[in-house]
Amino acid sequence: MATLIYDEARLFGICFLLGGALAFFYDCIRIVRLLIRHKDWIVDLEDLGFWLVTAWLVFCTLFTYNRGALRGYAFFGMFLGVVIYALTLSRMILFVVGKMIPYWKRGLEIFQKPFRFFEQNVKKILKNFVTDVKIAFRSR
């Protein structure tokens, strides 16, 4: 009987940690969105991917630690993990990251400058080439 209770307590603890880990993973996605602009359909794909990964992890956790049986306390543990993470660590992490993002964006801009310069020059060269080809075809 005691091992059954220990197994259930272990499942609750694992689900609690899984909920916190999933919330942290979603915060990472939010941070990337703050750094790099996304189109709406890309945000939708990211969210779809997040929820598919979440569903798979929840299924694997329940299957591995509880032989696939759905238990209310397991879902409550995940919910509690998300809520406690969101009320504590998430706020601190997003506050610190919010202060650092302008510096990170400047770093990204410095990193992207050579690529933008290269892209602009290649576009200009290709545009001139296309114009020359059009002139050559018109003169025939």
Side-chain angles (χ1 to χ4, degrees), residues 48-107:
L48 177 65
F50 170 78
W51 286 110
L52 289 173
V53 168
T54 298
W56 178 252
L57 288 173
V58 169
F59 170 77
C60 287
T61 301
L62 291 176
F63 189 76
T64 302
Y65 293 100
N66 203 29
R67 289 178 245 110
L70 300 176
R71 302 281 185 217
Y73 64 86
F75 290 104
F76 179 70
M78 282 183 253
F79 175 75
L80 196 62
V82 168
V83 168
I84 289 176
Y85 172 82
L87 294 176
T88 57
L89 290 175
S90 178
R91 290 182 180 198
M92 290 186 290
I93 290 171
L94 291 177
F95 176 77
V96 170
V97 168
K99 297 291 184 185
M100 295 171 65
I101 282 196
Y103 303 109
W104 289 350
K105 282 188 175 182
R106 264 190 240 138

Side-chain angles (χ1 to χ4, degrees), residues 114-133:
F115 296 107
R116 286 187 185 150
F117 178 76
F118 178 72
E119 178 186 14
Q120 289 170 353
N121 286 336
V122 168
K123 281 183 180 180
K124 186 185 289 184
I125 291 169
L126 288 176
K127 187 176 180 181
N128 290 340
F129 177 73
V130 169
T131 304
D132 291 343
V133 170

